[in-house]
């Protein structure tokens, strides 16, 4: 019994050490960029020795994978949980509103994620890990969109739910890229919501927001259809 208790304390202590190393790495990666931070700097920020680092991670790459998976799973869970609240059917506008309210749009995370993307582009093995996450996120979205047809048919141009999920992820990527440059998270949430609504509803006959086929523009006025919204978004968010 004593041995088991000791093992339990060691396991908890190791988990705490790992968590502190991940938190410290996130801070220094966001501040300086992955590839510019040595192991010693991560250890110093966490308050641990190199020995503590190597008892948890074989390399900075392995730590980076752990950090990315942690944040990626949070985002996938946020999207899935928000979409699941509609039950068997999906109210697209309500779901978009919930997703954009809870979705992680932290600029530091986006800096780290961008570093990861560049890193993955140069390493096929890393790229496979990134693609696995993106596939998991798309599956969570596609599963819910596949149930939407009874209440809100998807636009024909998007094809099936899997294609629509690709569009949702692409919209998130585009809006968050702009966020890295302008640093305006509220603006990003607002435009992400409008873009997703325009993508996931029938632009030919379904209003983007509110009655009468009108949608509030960025000045608060109501004019235009989902096509107008898409044009506005493209114009405003062009770097």
């Amino acid at each position: 019994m004593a041995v088991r208790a000791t093992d339990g304390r060691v396991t908890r202590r190791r988990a705490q050490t790992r968590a502190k190393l991940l938190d410290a790495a996130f801070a220094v990666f966001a501040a300086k960029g992955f590839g510019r931070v040595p192991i010693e700097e991560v250890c110093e920020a966490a308050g641990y020795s190199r020995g503590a680092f190597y008892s948890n991670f074989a390399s900075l790459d392995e730590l980076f994978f752990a950090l990315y998976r942690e944040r990626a799973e949070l985002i996938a869970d946020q999207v899935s949980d928000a979409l699941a609240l509609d039950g068997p059917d999906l109210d697209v506008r309500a779901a978009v509103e919930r997703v954009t309210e809870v979705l992680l749009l932290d600029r530091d995370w986006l800096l780290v994620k961008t570093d990861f993307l560049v890193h993955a582009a140069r390493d096929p093995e890393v790229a496979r890990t990134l693609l696995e996450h993106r596939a998991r996120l798309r599956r969570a979205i596609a599963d819910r969109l596949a149930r939407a047809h009874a209440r809100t048919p998807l636009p024909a141009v998007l094809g099936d739910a899997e294609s629509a999920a690709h569009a949702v992820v692409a919209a998130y990527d585009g809006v968050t890229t702009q966020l890295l440059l302008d640093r305006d998270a509220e603006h990003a949430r607002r435009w992400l919501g409008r873009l997703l609504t325009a993508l996931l509803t029938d632009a030919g006959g379904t209003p983007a927001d509110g009655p009468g086929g009108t949608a509030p523009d960025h000045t608060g006025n109501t004019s235009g259809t989902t096509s107008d919204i898409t044009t506005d978004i493209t114009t405003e968010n062009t770097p």
Side-chain angles (χ1 to χ4, degrees):
M1 294 294 292
V3 172
R4 292 178 185 173
T6 300
D7 288 347
R9 287 195 296 271
V10 171
T11 300
R12 286 194 297 272
R13 185 164 63 247
R14 182 170 182 176
Q16 291 170 353
T17 300
R18 181 182 175 89
K20 288 182 180 179
L21 285 166
L22 287 171
D23 288 344
F26 176 73
V28 295
F29 287 161
K32 297 186 176 182
F34 181 73
R36 297 183 177 88
V37 177
I39 289 173
E40 290 80 6
E41 190 164 347
V42 173
C43 294
E44 182 179 355
Y48 292 117
S49 66
R50 286 172 61 91
F53 179 94
Y54 284 114
S55 69
N56 287 275
F57 305 102
S59 65
L60 281 177
D61 274 358
E62 184 177 320
L63 182 148
F64 199 100
F65 283 131
L67 181 65
Y68 188 88
R69 282 194 296 268
E70 183 181 88
R71 299 306 196 280
E73 287 172 4
L74 171 61
I75 292 174
D77 288 343
Q78 286 175 331
V79 172
S80 185
D81 290 348
L83 295 179
L85 292 177
D86 278 312
D89 297 314
L90 178 67
D91 182 334
V92 171
R93 291 175 184 79
V96 165
E97 183 176 349
R98 288 195 302 273
V99 168
T100 54
E101 282 178 356
V102 304
L103 196 61
L104 182 64
L105 288 179
D106 175 65
R107 188 171 180 273
D108 284 347
W109 159 243
L110 296 174
L111 286 168
V112 174
K113 188 186 80 164
T114 300
D115 276 340
F116 191 93
L117 176 62
V118 173
H119 186 50
R122 294 188 172 96
D123 187 322
E125 185 175 348
V126 179
R128 281 193 292 272
T129 299
L130 180 58
L131 289 171
E132 287 170 4
H133 156 64
R134 292 172 70 84
R136 176 175 180 262
L137 183 60
R138 287 197 306 271
R139 284 195 298 271
I141 297 169
D143 178 66
R144 298 304 302 170
L145 292 178
R147 307 181 190 185
H149 295 284
R151 294 177 61 175
T152 308
L154 294 171
V157 70
L158 289 179
D160 58 15
E162 179 66 21
S163 297
H166 273 274
V168 169
V169 174
Y172 174 80
D173 287 344
V175 170
T176 54
T177 297
Q178 184 70 19
L179 173 57
L180 283 173
L181 302 177
D182 64 25
R183 300 169 181 257
D184 189 341
E186 290 309 310
H187 178 272
R189 288 189 191 281
R190 183 169 66 251
W191 281 103
L192 180 60
R194 296 180 68 184
L195 179 55
L196 292 180
T197 302
L199 283 170
L200 297 176
T201 56
D202 184 359
T206 304
D209 189 12
T214 62
D217 64 22
H218 59 277
T219 63
N221 296 321
T222 55
S223 61
T225 65
T226 52
S227 298
D228 299 320
I229 292 174
T230 306
T231 301
D232 289 346
I233 291 169
T234 302
T235 302
E236 182 160 338
N237 283 338
T238 300

